[in-house]
Amino acid sequence: MKIKLGLLYGGKSAEHEVSLLTARAVSQAINFDKYEVYPIFITKTGEWRKGNALIGPAKSVEKLQFGEGVSKPNSITSFLPVEGSSNDVALAKRNSSLDVIFPLLHGPNGEDGTVQGLLEVLNLPYVGNGVLASAAGMDKVVMKQLFAQAGLKQVPYVHFIRKEWNNNQAALIQQMEESLTWPLFVKPANLGSSVGISKATNREELLKAVELAFKYDRKIIVEQGIVARELEISVLGNDEPRCSVAGEVLPTKDFYDYEAKYEDGTTNYAIPAIVSDGLLKKMQDAAIRAFKVLDCSGLVRADFFVTEEEEVIINEVNTMPGFTPISMYPKLWMESGLSYSELIEELITLAVERYEEKQ
Ligand code: ADP
Ligand code: MG
Ligand code: MG
């Protein structure tokens, strides 16, 4: 019997297109002798469309949106077990007709624990991080508080919600000016892909940056800017995670913003990064500590700032990092000897193991 694998992709977030590219790449790498692959497409407006099994690798992104059985509009509730049977695991699974889901979604409503919560309720195994790790990893303030508890070094920061800003703006600015040095990085707490992030070098820019960040979230984090290398480590596993070699992001502009990530091609990457054994080890240790303190499972990409003195400062983890074959996460595994297909296979196995352990 083939394993029925649901590929969940698209979504309402800024990374909709990236998700489609990922879904196509995964469908091209998957072993169709072993898996029966079902597309579950979430449109940009949030409509769910579950399709018939793919007959082979998706030839184009358009086929994943409109063709090969994906065009059938389907409400989210059709994924739920029928009424009155929500405690019946076997029936719930039969109704969903899928054995395991691979969520290929980034950002809010994909990477933040919400979809993971839905899949928990459906009692379906799914690839990657659970509700807690996903939610904690999406909120930069919560994430930093947990990192601090794990003894990980971070840049100094200040955080506040809209109400506090409106009521105590002068005091907050004073606090920032006293505890942080310019430039500052202003970020919405719950986002990714650098959306809503700006660098402020003076008070006027700070006000603009805060205003922009509040368009995306009611909670903001303002960090002290740092001049450092940006190095990343891929982590894979459940209870005994392992680390890849390091990769380096080399932005040629001010910082690694949205355009640099997806659009303007100005960023260079070094895979693997040139690092000493000692530095690599320090980053890998920190990556594992970050993975554990957030109670991660499956995968995480841990991103660091490394100063000239080789001080390792954690910036963030991404619980569903970019996953196309040219993205950092899979590339670091390729460099560490694991192919894209093998990586996908291992992630699915880890998903099923975690699910079975909970039963
Ligand atoms: P996202 O989750 O959107 O990727 P990050 O916190 O990683 O947000 O910030 C995006 C980019 O902004 C980083 O990759 C880096 O280039 C730059 N950046 C963020 N914070 C700082 C900081 N404190 N000092 C220097 N650069 C920063
Ligand atoms: Mg991020
Ligand atoms: Mg980042």
Side-chain angles (χ1 to χ4, degrees), residues 31-82:
N31 179 358
F32 276 81
D33 293 333
K34 189 163 170 193
Y35 297 99
E36 206 166 279
V37 183
Y38 289 82
I40 308 168
F41 174 53
I42 306 174
T43 67
K44 273 189 164 168
T45 54
E47 187 180 90
W48 286 52
R49 299 176 174 188
K50 184 179 169 193
N52 301 318
L54 294 177
I55 45 178
K59 291 207 175 57
S60 69
V61 161
E62 287 69 35
K63 289 237 153 137
L64 287 168
Q65 292 179 85
F66 307 114
E68 284 168 20
V70 195
S71 58
K72 189 171 55 182
N74 218 315
S75 87
I76 199 168
T77 48
S78 67
F79 294 83
L80 299 169
V82 292

Side-chain angles (χ1 to χ4, degrees), residues 19-31:
S19 175
L20 283 169
L21 290 174
T22 309
R24 185 185 61 183
V26 169
S27 87
Q28 286 167 349
I30 209 106
N31 179 358

Side-chain angles (χ1 to χ4, degrees), residues 160-169 172 207 210 214:
F160 47 87
I161 54 171
R162 190 181 278 116
K163 197 126 209 158
E164 292 166 336
W165 178 252
N166 290 343
N167 295 343
N168 302 305
Q169 190 170 319
L172 282 168
L207 295 180
V210 168
F214 272 137

